[in-house]
Amino acid sequence: MSTSVNVNGIEFQPRLLINGEFVEASDKGTFNVINPATGEISCKVPEATEDDTNRAAAAAKAAQPAWAALDPTKRGAYLKKLAALLREHKSTLAHLEAISMGVPVSHYIHADMGADELDYFSEAWPHIQGQSSVNTPGYVAMTFRQPFGVVACIIPWNVPVYFFAAKAAAALITGNTVVLKSSEKAPLAVAYAAELITKAGFPPGVFNVLSGHGLPSGRCLARHMDVRALSFTGSSRTGKLIQEEAAKTNLKSVTLELGGKSPAIVFDDANIEQALSATMMSILVNSGQVCMANSRVYVQKSVAPKFIEAFTQRMAAVRGGNPLDPQTQMGPQADEVQYKNIMSYIEEGKKNGTLAVGGNGKLDETKGYFVEPTVFLNTPEDAKIMKEEIFGPVLNINTFETEEEVIAKANDTEFGLYAAVFTNDISRAMRMAKALESGYVSINCSSPTMGRDLPFGGYKGSGQGREGRLYSMDHFLEVKSVIIKLDEAKL
Ligand code: NAD
């Protein structure tokens, strides 16, 4: 049985939402959610079985025709209600996220971000448009855009409620029904958001929410013959497994938003103060657990000493704290696996580069999964910590002399999610933007800065497809060609 957690005097018991009902896992199985700041168990959460996953997919399949037939303004009205409820309950969602994946309550913006997406997509239905033409003599030709049917959304733990809302909103407004699986590291706020789905009055089966690990429920969704489209955000490793399952079963349409190893490039003509604060924030926000965090910083040689001195001094001053304390600016890593992973990369880094700041974990001292912000210098480009995603507050600063040299270094990676360039020379900025192999390029700012209406997604191993307000609905709409023969003899 799952157990409850007390949030501001209210008992909340996480359960699965299947066909409009809150249920335990069919075998009563659960898994523990650990508070990453204390190492204590926050609560026990249902581990969805294959049977639960199949029932959720069946409920979504049964509910889909009526949902797709509904006036889109009515579909939008449900999304709007859910957006309002996310905003209303954001302090509870913040608390639940703090005790599962450690984001400080002072920084909790995920509920507002998610609500904004729901609000946007609630009114986006007029953009569901086909085309028409009279280019085929004797015929009128047109296309329809229609829902796939059942869509699965598999989300990571770093910004859970945002992904919950953003993926589901685009899938639902286009007339699909949804089975969403949260991450085993951060299931609490999403399970609470599932209660808000029923409060918003969604018809049973339209929006189902499961908690559980990749195995069995995630894999079951990836293999499921009735799931026709799957939107995934997570690691490149899991993305490949999902793609493989889809290829072996029903060739469902898969969108992949995966990992990164993002470069930030600082030229000597840049505003150095601006570059310092932007690159620091990029690697520290969410304790470095952001797909687009600039984990490789390249600084032009003439300004490198000044940049490195200021950067390392400021990083050394950053301290982690309890995420429930409103003063805390940086929380722990999400869980033990993350912590151990990051610490092993730091040990690896010590073998190749020069450790300038940090390098220690604080588990023994604090019982929490805190890692010191860590800076390496001059690590060889082919070292493991320069090639693999660390997903923690760890970066390397290397130097360069020419544009050609830094473009080659920045692009020498299998990832391609986000690249930042700092320069006051507009032609150089544009040359760099053209040359960088990255789905996003920012000039004089760094991740997570994003344009509201721009697409987001990766080049190379960082993903397939683009998400965003003008893009996400495309993943959830089939295109049908319709041709009509005219009786032109009457003319
Ligand atoms: P993960 O791949 O371990 O897990 C993501 C989700 O996939 C979880 O819900 C997990 O349970 C599920 N899963 C695991 N194995 C599965 C399987 N075999 N079949 C189906 N589902 C399975 O990733 P994570 O640790 O939760 O998230 C961190 C990763 O996500 C990082 O690599 C980060 O860069 C990436 N990320 C990317 C973006 C983006 O937009 N590109 C955004 C956030 C995070």
mmCIF file with all atom_site columns, all heavy atoms in Angstrom, residues 154-158 181 184 214 218 232-235 238 257-259 291 389 391 456, ligand 1:
data_model
loop_
_atom_site.group_PDB
_atom_site.id
_atom_site.type_symbol
_atom_site.label_atom_id
_atom_site.label_alt_id
_atom_site.label_comp_id
_atom_site.label_asym_id
_atom_site.label_entity_id
_atom_site.label_seq_id
_atom_site.pdbx_PDB_ins_code
_atom_site.Cartn_x
_atom_site.Cartn_y
_atom_site.Cartn_z
_atom_site.occupancy
_atom_site.B_iso_or_equiv
_atom_site.pdbx_formal_charge
_atom_site.auth_seq_id
_atom_site.auth_comp_id
_atom_site.auth_asym_id
_atom_site.auth_atom_id
_atom_site.pdbx_PDB_model_num
ATOM   1   N N   . ILE A 1 154 ? 6.212  10.121 -21.329 1.00 0.00 ? 154 ILE A N   1
ATOM   2   C CA  . ILE A 1 154 ? 7.128  9.617  -20.294 1.00 0.00 ? 154 ILE A CA  1
ATOM   3   C C   . ILE A 1 154 ? 8.060  10.766 -19.940 1.00 0.00 ? 154 ILE A C   1
ATOM   4   O O   . ILE A 1 154 ? 8.747  11.309 -20.817 1.00 0.00 ? 154 ILE A O   1
ATOM   5   C CB  . ILE A 1 154 ? 7.915  8.384  -20.787 1.00 0.00 ? 154 ILE A CB  1
ATOM   6   C CG1 . ILE A 1 154 ? 6.933  7.274  -21.180 1.00 0.00 ? 154 ILE A CG1 1
ATOM   7   C CG2 . ILE A 1 154 ? 8.883  7.893  -19.707 1.00 0.00 ? 154 ILE A CG2 1
ATOM   8   C CD1 . ILE A 1 154 ? 7.583  5.965  -21.627 1.00 0.00 ? 154 ILE A CD1 1
ATOM   9   N N   . ILE A 1 155 ? 8.044  11.144 -18.663 1.00 0.00 ? 155 ILE A N   1
ATOM   10  C CA  . ILE A 1 155 ? 8.737  12.389 -18.294 1.00 0.00 ? 155 ILE A CA  1
ATOM   11  C C   . ILE A 1 155 ? 9.874  12.139 -17.295 1.00 0.00 ? 155 ILE A C   1
ATOM   12  O O   . ILE A 1 155 ? 9.879  11.141 -16.589 1.00 0.00 ? 155 ILE A O   1
ATOM   13  C CB  . ILE A 1 155 ? 7.730  13.428 -17.732 1.00 0.00 ? 155 ILE A CB  1
ATOM   14  C CG1 . ILE A 1 155 ? 7.045  12.928 -16.455 1.00 0.00 ? 155 ILE A CG1 1
ATOM   15  C CG2 . ILE A 1 155 ? 6.692  13.803 -18.785 1.00 0.00 ? 155 ILE A CG2 1
ATOM   16  C CD1 . ILE A 1 155 ? 6.223  14.000 -15.748 1.00 0.00 ? 155 ILE A CD1 1
ATOM   17  N N   . PRO A 1 156 ? 10.825 13.074 -17.240 1.00 0.00 ? 156 PRO A N   1
ATOM   18  C CA  . PRO A 1 156 ? 11.954 12.938 -16.302 1.00 0.00 ? 156 PRO A CA  1
ATOM   19  C C   . PRO A 1 156 ? 11.594 13.573 -14.953 1.00 0.00 ? 156 PRO A C   1
ATOM   20  O O   . PRO A 1 156 ? 10.467 14.017 -14.742 1.00 0.00 ? 156 PRO A O   1
ATOM   21  C CB  . PRO A 1 156 ? 13.048 13.735 -17.000 1.00 0.00 ? 156 PRO A CB  1
ATOM   22  C CG  . PRO A 1 156 ? 12.312 14.844 -17.673 1.00 0.00 ? 156 PRO A CG  1
ATOM   23  C CD  . PRO A 1 156 ? 10.961 14.296 -18.067 1.00 0.00 ? 156 PRO A CD  1
ATOM   24  N N   . TRP A 1 157 ? 12.587 13.652 -14.083 1.00 0.00 ? 157 TRP A N   1
ATOM   25  C CA  . TRP A 1 157 ? 12.340 14.126 -12.725 1.00 0.00 ? 157 TRP A CA  1
ATOM   26  C C   . TRP A 1 157 ? 12.799 15.547 -12.490 1.00 0.00 ? 157 TRP A C   1
ATOM   27  O O   . TRP A 1 157 ? 12.588 16.097 -11.418 1.00 0.00 ? 157 TRP A O   1
ATOM   28  C CB  . TRP A 1 157 ? 13.070 13.218 -11.719 1.00 0.00 ? 157 TRP A CB  1
ATOM   29  C CG  . TRP A 1 157 ? 14.502 12.984 -12.108 1.00 0.00 ? 157 TRP A CG  1
ATOM   30  C CD1 . TRP A 1 157 ? 14.982 11.937 -12.839 1.00 0.00 ? 157 TRP A CD1 1
ATOM   31  C CD2 . TRP A 1 157 ? 15.611 13.833 -11.841 1.00 0.00 ? 157 TRP A CD2 1
ATOM   32  N NE1 . TRP A 1 157 ? 16.327 12.083 -13.052 1.00 0.00 ? 157 TRP A NE1 1
ATOM   33  C CE2 . TRP A 1 157 ? 16.737 13.240 -12.428 1.00 0.00 ? 157 TRP A CE2 1
ATOM   34  C CE3 . TRP A 1 157 ? 15.778 15.028 -11.143 1.00 0.00 ? 157 TRP A CE3 1
ATOM   35  C CZ2 . TRP A 1 157 ? 17.994 13.803 -12.369 1.00 0.00 ? 157 TRP A CZ2 1
ATOM   36  C CZ3 . TRP A 1 157 ? 17.035 15.596 -11.080 1.00 0.00 ? 157 TRP A CZ3 1
ATOM   37  C CH2 . TRP A 1 157 ? 18.123 14.976 -11.697 1.00 0.00 ? 157 TRP A CH2 1
ATOM   38  N N   . ASN A 1 158 ? 13.451 16.180 -13.467 1.00 0.00 ? 158 ASN A N   1
ATOM   39  C CA  . ASN A 1 158 ? 14.070 17.466 -13.119 1.00 0.00 ? 158 ASN A CA  1
ATOM   40  C C   . ASN A 1 158 ? 13.106 18.649 -13.130 1.00 0.00 ? 158 ASN A C   1
ATOM   41  O O   . ASN A 1 158 ? 13.291 19.576 -12.353 1.00 0.00 ? 158 ASN A O   1
ATOM   42  C CB  . ASN A 1 158 ? 15.334 17.732 -13.946 1.00 0.00 ? 158 ASN A CB  1
ATOM   43  C CG  . ASN A 1 158 ? 15.079 17.781 -15.421 1.00 0.00 ? 158 ASN A CG  1
ATOM   44  O OD1 . ASN A 1 158 ? 14.043 17.311 -15.901 1.00 0.00 ? 158 ASN A OD1 1
ATOM   45  N ND2 . ASN A 1 158 ? 16.000 18.344 -16.161 1.00 0.00 ? 158 ASN A ND2 1
ATOM   46  N N   . LYS A 1 181 ? 3.415  8.755  -17.594 1.00 0.00 ? 181 LYS A N   1
ATOM   47  C CA  . LYS A 1 181 ? 4.155  8.118  -16.498 1.00 0.00 ? 181 LYS A CA  1
ATOM   48  C C   . LYS A 1 181 ? 5.180  9.098  -15.935 1.00 0.00 ? 181 LYS A C   1
ATOM   49  O O   . LYS A 1 181 ? 5.994  9.654  -16.661 1.00 0.00 ? 181 LYS A O   1
ATOM   50  C CB  . LYS A 1 181 ? 4.899  6.867  -16.988 1.00 0.00 ? 181 LYS A CB  1
ATOM   51  C CG  . LYS A 1 181 ? 5.453  6.069  -15.804 1.00 0.00 ? 181 LYS A CG  1
ATOM   52  C CD  . LYS A 1 181 ? 6.428  5.002  -16.215 1.00 0.00 ? 181 LYS A CD  1
ATOM   53  C CE  . LYS A 1 181 ? 7.838  5.492  -16.358 1.00 0.00 ? 181 LYS A CE  1
ATOM   54  N NZ  . LYS A 1 181 ? 8.415  6.083  -15.138 1.00 0.00 ? 181 LYS A NZ  1
ATOM   55  N N   . GLU A 1 184 ? 10.334 7.821  -11.415 1.00 0.00 ? 184 GLU A N   1
ATOM   56  C CA  . GLU A 1 184 ? 10.424 7.182  -10.092 1.00 0.00 ? 184 GLU A CA  1
ATOM   57  C C   . GLU A 1 184 ? 11.148 8.070  -9.071  1.00 0.00 ? 184 GLU A C   1
ATOM   58  O O   . GLU A 1 184 ? 10.999 7.893  -7.873  1.00 0.00 ? 184 GLU A O   1
ATOM   59  C CB  . GLU A 1 184 ? 11.139 5.825  -10.205 1.00 0.00 ? 184 GLU A CB  1
ATOM   60  C CG  . GLU A 1 184 ? 12.574 5.865  -10.726 1.00 0.00 ? 184 GLU A CG  1
ATOM   61  C CD  . GLU A 1 184 ? 12.679 5.927  -12.248 1.00 0.00 ? 184 GLU A CD  1
ATOM   62  O OE1 . GLU A 1 184 ? 11.639 6.171  -12.920 1.00 0.00 ? 184 GLU A OE1 1
ATOM   63  O OE2 . GLU A 1 184 ? 13.792 5.749  -12.771 1.00 0.00 ? 184 GLU A OE2 1
ATOM   64  N N   . GLY A 1 214 ? 11.036 2.680  -15.089 1.00 0.00 ? 214 GLY A N   1
ATOM   65  C CA  . GLY A 1 214 ? 11.044 2.363  -16.518 1.00 0.00 ? 214 GLY A CA  1
ATOM   66  C C   . GLY A 1 214 ? 10.528 0.951  -16.758 1.00 0.00 ? 214 GLY A C   1
ATOM   67  O O   . GLY A 1 214 ? 9.764  0.698  -17.685 1.00 0.00 ? 214 GLY A O   1
ATOM   68  N N   . GLY A 1 218 ? 7.154  1.937  -17.982 1.00 0.00 ? 218 GLY A N   1
ATOM   69  C CA  . GLY A 1 218 ? 7.660  2.728  -19.103 1.00 0.00 ? 218 GLY A CA  1
ATOM   70  C C   . GLY A 1 218 ? 7.827  1.868  -20.346 1.00 0.00 ? 218 GLY A C   1
ATOM   71  O O   . GLY A 1 218 ? 7.376  2.216  -21.444 1.00 0.00 ? 218 GLY A O   1
ATOM   72  N N   . PHE A 1 232 ? 8.752  11.566 -25.270 1.00 0.00 ? 232 PHE A N   1
ATOM   73  C CA  . PHE A 1 232 ? 9.686  11.212 -24.185 1.00 0.00 ? 232 PHE A CA  1
ATOM   74  C C   . PHE A 1 232 ? 10.659 12.345 -23.920 1.00 0.00 ? 232 PHE A C   1
ATOM   75  O O   . PHE A 1 232 ? 11.230 12.914 -24.857 1.00 0.00 ? 232 PHE A O   1
ATOM   76  C CB  . PHE A 1 232 ? 10.471 9.952  -24.575 1.00 0.00 ? 232 PHE A CB  1
ATOM   77  C CG  . PHE A 1 232 ? 11.580 9.616  -23.602 1.00 0.00 ? 232 PHE A CG  1
ATOM   78  C CD1 . PHE A 1 232 ? 11.286 9.056  -22.368 1.00 0.00 ? 232 PHE A CD1 1
ATOM   79  C CD2 . PHE A 1 232 ? 12.909 9.881  -23.912 1.00 0.00 ? 232 PHE A CD2 1
ATOM   80  C CE1 . PHE A 1 232 ? 12.305 8.760  -21.458 1.00 0.00 ? 232 PHE A CE1 1
ATOM   81  C CE2 . PHE A 1 232 ? 13.933 9.586  -23.009 1.00 0.00 ? 232 PHE A CE2 1
ATOM   82  C CZ  . PHE A 1 232 ? 13.623 9.020  -21.784 1.00 0.00 ? 232 PHE A CZ  1
ATOM   83  N N   . THR A 1 233 ? 10.867 12.659 -22.661 1.00 0.00 ? 233 THR A N   1
ATOM   84  C CA  . THR A 1 233 ? 11.987 13.505 -22.260 1.00 0.00 ? 233 THR A CA  1
ATOM   85  C C   . THR A 1 233 ? 12.767 12.748 -21.201 1.00 0.00 ? 233 THR A C   1
ATOM   86  O O   . THR A 1 233 ? 12.190 12.273 -20.215 1.00 0.00 ? 233 THR A O   1
ATOM   87  C CB  . THR A 1 233 ? 11.504 14.865 -21.710 1.00 0.00 ? 233 THR A CB  1
ATOM   88  O OG1 . THR A 1 233 ? 10.806 15.550 -22.739 1.00 0.00 ? 233 THR A OG1 1
ATOM   89  C CG2 . THR A 1 233 ? 12.678 15.727 -21.263 1.00 0.00 ? 233 THR A CG2 1
ATOM   90  N N   . GLY A 1 234 ? 14.072 12.632 -21.402 1.00 0.00 ? 234 GLY A N   1
ATOM   91  C CA  . GLY A 1 234 ? 14.903 11.892 -20.453 1.00 0.00 ? 234 GLY A CA  1
ATOM   92  C C   . GLY A 1 234 ? 16.279 11.680 -21.050 1.00 0.00 ? 234 GLY A C   1
ATOM   93  O O   . GLY A 1 234 ? 16.714 12.424 -21.943 1.00 0.00 ? 234 GLY A O   1
ATOM   94  N N   . SER A 1 235 ? 16.943 10.636 -20.585 1.00 0.00 ? 235 SER A N   1
ATOM   95  C CA  . SER A 1 235 ? 18.330 10.427 -21.012 1.00 0.00 ? 235 SER A CA  1
ATOM   96  C C   . SER A 1 235 ? 18.408 9.840  -22.427 1.00 0.00 ? 235 SER A C   1
ATOM   97  O O   . SER A 1 235 ? 17.460 9.198  -22.901 1.00 0.00 ? 235 SER A O   1
ATOM   98  C CB  . SER A 1 235 ? 19.018 9.476  -20.035 1.00 0.00 ? 235 SER A CB  1
ATOM   99  O OG  . SER A 1 235 ? 18.381 8.217  -20.079 1.00 0.00 ? 235 SER A OG  1
ATOM   100 N N   . THR A 1 238 ? 17.843 5.980  -22.410 1.00 0.00 ? 238 THR A N   1
ATOM   101 C CA  . THR A 1 238 ? 16.450 5.514  -22.398 1.00 0.00 ? 238 THR A CA  1
ATOM   102 C C   . THR A 1 238 ? 15.761 5.850  -23.721 1.00 0.00 ? 238 THR A C   1
ATOM   103 O O   . THR A 1 238 ? 14.955 5.055  -24.218 1.00 0.00 ? 238 THR A O   1
ATOM   104 C CB  . THR A 1 238 ? 15.680 6.155  -21.219 1.00 0.00 ? 238 THR A CB  1
ATOM   105 O OG1 . THR A 1 238 ? 16.424 5.936  -20.024 1.00 0.00 ? 238 THR A OG1 1
ATOM   106 C CG2 . THR A 1 238 ? 14.309 5.558  -21.065 1.00 0.00 ? 238 THR A CG2 1
ATOM   107 N N   . GLU A 1 257 ? 13.326 14.088 -26.492 1.00 0.00 ? 257 GLU A N   1
ATOM   108 C CA  . GLU A 1 257 ? 14.063 15.255 -25.971 1.00 0.00 ? 257 GLU A CA  1
ATOM   109 C C   . GLU A 1 257 ? 15.077 14.702 -24.976 1.00 0.00 ? 257 GLU A C   1
ATOM   110 O O   . GLU A 1 257 ? 14.709 14.253 -23.890 1.00 0.00 ? 257 GLU A O   1
ATOM   111 C CB  . GLU A 1 257 ? 13.110 16.232 -25.265 1.00 0.00 ? 257 GLU A CB  1
ATOM   112 C CG  . GLU A 1 257 ? 12.074 16.854 -26.176 1.00 0.00 ? 257 GLU A CG  1
ATOM   113 C CD  . GLU A 1 257 ? 12.645 17.915 -27.105 1.00 0.00 ? 257 GLU A CD  1
ATOM   114 O OE1 . GLU A 1 257 ? 13.828 18.267 -26.968 1.00 0.00 ? 257 GLU A OE1 1
ATOM   115 O OE2 . GLU A 1 257 ? 11.893 18.374 -27.976 1.00 0.00 ? 257 GLU A OE2 1
ATOM   116 N N   . LEU A 1 258 ? 16.359 14.727 -25.349 1.00 0.00 ? 258 LEU A N   1
ATOM   117 C CA  . LEU A 1 258 ? 17.351 13.950 -24.590 1.00 0.00 ? 258 LEU A CA  1
ATOM   118 C C   . LEU A 1 258 ? 18.417 14.837 -23.936 1.00 0.00 ? 258 LEU A C   1
ATOM   119 O O   . LEU A 1 258 ? 18.191 16.010 -23.706 1.00 0.00 ? 258 LEU A O   1
ATOM   120 C CB  . LEU A 1 258 ? 17.955 12.897 -25.517 1.00 0.00 ? 258 LEU A CB  1
ATOM   121 C CG  . LEU A 1 258 ? 16.923 12.054 -26.283 1.00 0.00 ? 258 LEU A CG  1
ATOM   122 C CD1 . LEU A 1 258 ? 17.598 11.104 -27.260 1.00 0.00 ? 258 LEU A CD1 1
ATOM   123 C CD2 . LEU A 1 258 ? 16.020 11.282 -25.325 1.00 0.00 ? 258 LEU A CD2 1
ATOM   124 N N   . GLY A 1 259 ? 19.549 14.240 -23.665 1.00 0.00 ? 259 GLY A N   1
ATOM   125 C CA  . GLY A 1 259 ? 20.566 14.922 -22.865 1.00 0.00 ? 259 GLY A CA  1
ATOM   126 C C   . GLY A 1 259 ? 21.415 15.921 -23.644 1.00 0.00 ? 259 GLY A C   1
ATOM   127 O O   . GLY A 1 259 ? 21.238 16.109 -24.848 1.00 0.00 ? 259 GLY A O   1
ATOM   128 N N   . CYS A 1 291 ? 19.041 19.679 -18.680 1.00 0.00 ? 291 CYS A N   1
ATOM   129 C CA  . CYS A 1 291 ? 19.585 19.073 -19.904 1.00 0.00 ? 291 CYS A CA  1
ATOM   130 C C   . CYS A 1 291 ? 20.495 20.013 -20.676 1.00 0.00 ? 291 CYS A C   1
ATOM   131 O O   . CYS A 1 291 ? 21.440 19.592 -21.317 1.00 0.00 ? 291 CYS A O   1
ATOM   132 C CB  . CYS A 1 291 ? 18.442 18.622 -20.799 1.00 0.00 ? 291 CYS A CB  1
ATOM   133 S SG  . CYS A 1 291 ? 17.234 19.934 -21.109 1.00 0.00 ? 291 CYS A SG  1
ATOM   134 N N   . GLU A 1 389 ? 27.392 13.387 -20.314 1.00 0.00 ? 389 GLU A N   1
ATOM   135 C CA  . GLU A 1 389 ? 26.566 14.295 -19.521 1.00 0.00 ? 389 GLU A CA  1
ATOM   136 C C   . GLU A 1 389 ? 26.730 13.948 -18.037 1.00 0.00 ? 389 GLU A C   1
ATOM   137 O O   . GLU A 1 389 ? 26.555 12.791 -17.656 1.00 0.00 ? 389 GLU A O   1
ATOM   138 C CB  . GLU A 1 389 ? 25.099 14.132 -19.937 1.00 0.00 ? 389 GLU A CB  1
ATOM   139 C CG  . GLU A 1 389 ? 24.183 15.127 -19.284 1.00 0.00 ? 389 GLU A CG  1
ATOM   140 C CD  . GLU A 1 389 ? 22.722 14.908 -19.677 1.00 0.00 ? 389 GLU A CD  1
ATOM   141 O OE1 . GLU A 1 389 ? 22.280 13.751 -19.749 1.00 0.00 ? 389 GLU A OE1 1
ATOM   142 O OE2 . GLU A 1 389 ? 22.022 15.918 -19.892 1.00 0.00 ? 389 GLU A OE2 1
ATOM   143 N N   . PHE A 1 391 ? 25.191 15.938 -15.423 1.00 0.00 ? 391 PHE A N   1
ATOM   144 C CA  . PHE A 1 391 ? 23.896 16.280 -14.828 1.00 0.00 ? 391 PHE A CA  1
ATOM   145 C C   . PHE A 1 391 ? 24.043 16.658 -13.354 1.00 0.00 ? 391 PHE A C   1
ATOM   146 O O   . PHE A 1 391 ? 23.337 16.162 -12.475 1.00 0.00 ? 391 PHE A O   1
ATOM   147 C CB  . PHE A 1 391 ? 22.908 15.119 -15.002 1.00 0.00 ? 391 PHE A CB  1
ATOM   148 C CG  . PHE A 1 391 ? 21.526 15.600 -15.391 1.00 0.00 ? 391 PHE A CG  1
ATOM   149 C CD1 . PHE A 1 391 ? 21.347 16.421 -16.475 1.00 0.00 ? 391 PHE A CD1 1
ATOM   150 C CD2 . PHE A 1 391 ? 20.400 15.232 -14.658 1.00 0.00 ? 391 PHE A CD2 1
ATOM   151 C CE1 . PHE A 1 391 ? 20.077 16.876 -16.840 1.00 0.00 ? 391 PHE A CE1 1
ATOM   152 C CE2 . PHE A 1 391 ? 19.133 15.682 -15.012 1.00 0.00 ? 391 PHE A CE2 1
ATOM   153 C CZ  . PHE A 1 391 ? 18.977 16.504 -16.102 1.00 0.00 ? 391 PHE A CZ  1
ATOM   154 N N   . PHE A 1 456 ? 12.148 23.856 -29.354 1.00 0.00 ? 456 PHE A N   1
ATOM   155 C CA  . PHE A 1 456 ? 13.224 23.338 -28.506 1.00 0.00 ? 456 PHE A CA  1
ATOM   156 C C   . PHE A 1 456 ? 13.464 21.878 -28.847 1.00 0.00 ? 456 PHE A C   1
ATOM   157 O O   . PHE A 1 456 ? 12.525 21.083 -28.928 1.00 0.00 ? 456 PHE A O   1
ATOM   158 C CB  . PHE A 1 456 ? 12.853 23.458 -27.019 1.00 0.00 ? 456 PHE A CB  1
ATOM   159 C CG  . PHE A 1 456 ? 13.991 23.052 -26.124 1.00 0.00 ? 456 PHE A CG  1
ATOM   160 C CD1 . PHE A 1 456 ? 15.027 23.926 -25.876 1.00 0.00 ? 456 PHE A CD1 1
ATOM   161 C CD2 . PHE A 1 456 ? 14.052 21.783 -25.576 1.00 0.00 ? 456 PHE A CD2 1
ATOM   162 C CE1 . PHE A 1 456 ? 16.107 23.560 -25.084 1.00 0.00 ? 456 PHE A CE1 1
ATOM   163 C CE2 . PHE A 1 456 ? 15.130 21.397 -24.782 1.00 0.00 ? 456 PHE A CE2 1
ATOM   164 C CZ  . PHE A 1 456 ? 16.150 22.293 -24.536 1.00 0.00 ? 456 PHE A CZ  1
HETATM 165 P P1  . NAD B 2 .   ? 15.812 8.661  -17.597 1.00 0.00 ? 1   NAD B P1  1
HETATM 166 O O1  . NAD B 2 .   ? 16.019 8.376  -19.026 1.00 0.00 ? 1   NAD B O1  1
HETATM 167 O O2  . NAD B 2 .   ? 16.521 7.846  -16.596 1.00 0.00 ? 1   NAD B O2  1
HETATM 168 O O3  . NAD B 2 .   ? 14.274 8.552  -17.209 1.00 0.00 ? 1   NAD B O3  1
HETATM 169 C C1  . NAD B 2 .   ? 13.283 9.299  -17.883 1.00 0.00 ? 1   NAD B C1  1
HETATM 170 C C2  . NAD B 2 .   ? 11.975 8.569  -17.812 1.00 0.00 ? 1   NAD B C2  1
HETATM 171 O O4  . NAD B 2 .   ? 12.084 7.375  -18.563 1.00 0.00 ? 1   NAD B O4  1
HETATM 172 C C3  . NAD B 2 .   ? 11.547 8.176  -16.403 1.00 0.00 ? 1   NAD B C3  1
HETATM 173 O O5  . NAD B 2 .   ? 10.165 8.367  -16.273 1.00 0.00 ? 1   NAD B O5  1
HETATM 174 C C4  . NAD B 2 .   ? 11.911 6.696  -16.371 1.00 0.00 ? 1   NAD B C4  1
HETATM 175 O O6  . NAD B 2 .   ? 11.146 5.939  -15.466 1.00 0.00 ? 1   NAD B O6  1
HETATM 176 C C5  . NAD B 2 .   ? 11.613 6.277  -17.790 1.00 0.00 ? 1   NAD B C5  1
HETATM 177 N N1  . NAD B 2 .   ? 12.294 5.073  -18.239 1.00 0.00 ? 1   NAD B N1  1
HETATM 178 C C6  . NAD B 2 .   ? 13.455 4.538  -17.781 1.00 0.00 ? 1   NAD B C6  1
HETATM 179 N N2  . NAD B 2 .   ? 13.751 3.401  -18.460 1.00 0.00 ? 1   NAD B N2  1
HETATM 180 C C7  . NAD B 2 .   ? 12.762 3.226  -19.364 1.00 0.00 ? 1   NAD B C7  1
HETATM 181 C C8  . NAD B 2 .   ? 12.506 2.244  -20.362 1.00 0.00 ? 1   NAD B C8  1
HETATM 182 N N3  . NAD B 2 .   ? 13.339 1.214  -20.565 1.00 0.00 ? 1   NAD B N3  1
HETATM 183 N N4  . NAD B 2 .   ? 11.397 2.382  -21.117 1.00 0.00 ? 1   NAD B N4  1
HETATM 184 C C9  . NAD B 2 .   ? 10.563 3.423  -20.938 1.00 0.00 ? 1   NAD B C9  1
HETATM 185 N N5  . NAD B 2 .   ? 10.739 4.372  -20.002 1.00 0.00 ? 1   NAD B N5  1
HETATM 186 C C10 . NAD B 2 .   ? 11.827 4.284  -19.226 1.00 0.00 ? 1   NAD B C10 1
HETATM 187 O O7  . NAD B 2 .   ? 16.142 10.199 -17.426 1.00 0.00 ? 1   NAD B O7  1
HETATM 188 P P2  . NAD B 2 .   ? 16.090 11.042 -16.093 1.00 0.00 ? 1   NAD B P2  1
HETATM 189 O O8  . NAD B 2 .   ? 17.260 10.641 -15.251 1.00 0.00 ? 1   NAD B O8  1
HETATM 190 O O9  . NAD B 2 .   ? 14.734 10.995 -15.498 1.00 0.00 ? 1   NAD B O9  1
HETATM 191 O O10 . NAD B 2 .   ? 16.278 12.518 -16.625 1.00 0.00 ? 1   NAD B O10 1
HETATM 192 C C11 . NAD B 2 .   ? 17.518 13.083 -16.844 1.00 0.00 ? 1   NAD B C11 1
HETATM 193 C C12 . NAD B 2 .   ? 17.822 13.080 -18.318 1.00 0.00 ? 1   NAD B C12 1
HETATM 194 O O11 . NAD B 2 .   ? 16.793 13.774 -19.005 1.00 0.00 ? 1   NAD B O11 1
HETATM 195 C C13 . NAD B 2 .   ? 19.100 13.821 -18.631 1.00 0.00 ? 1   NAD B C13 1
HETATM 196 O O12 . NAD B 2 .   ? 19.808 13.096 -19.605 1.00 0.00 ? 1   NAD B O12 1
HETATM 197 C C14 . NAD B 2 .   ? 18.600 15.137 -19.199 1.00 0.00 ? 1   NAD B C14 1
HETATM 198 O O13 . NAD B 2 .   ? 19.508 15.762 -20.054 1.00 0.00 ? 1   NAD B O13 1
HETATM 199 C C15 . NAD B 2 .   ? 17.354 14.710 -19.894 1.00 0.00 ? 1   NAD B C15 1
HETATM 200 N N6  . NAD B 2 .   ? 16.439 15.829 -20.073 1.00 0.00 ? 1   NAD B N6  1
HETATM 201 C C16 . NAD B 2 .   ? 16.248 16.311 -21.334 1.00 0.00 ? 1   NAD B C16 1
HETATM 202 C C17 . NAD B 2 .   ? 15.424 17.420 -21.550 1.00 0.00 ? 1   NAD B C17 1
HETATM 203 C C18 . NAD B 2 .   ? 15.183 17.954 -22.924 1.00 0.00 ? 1   NAD B C18 1
HETATM 204 O O14 . NAD B 2 .   ? 14.206 18.690 -23.114 1.00 0.00 ? 1   NAD B O14 1
HETATM 205 N N7  . NAD B 2 .   ? 16.022 17.649 -23.896 1.00 0.00 ? 1   NAD B N7  1
HETATM 206 C C19 . NAD B 2 .   ? 14.785 18.014 -20.461 1.00 0.00 ? 1   NAD B C19 1
HETATM 207 C C20 . NAD B 2 .   ? 14.982 17.482 -19.197 1.00 0.00 ? 1   NAD B C20 1
HETATM 208 C C21 . NAD B 2 .   ? 15.811 16.386 -19.010 1.00 0.00 ? 1   NAD B C21 1
#
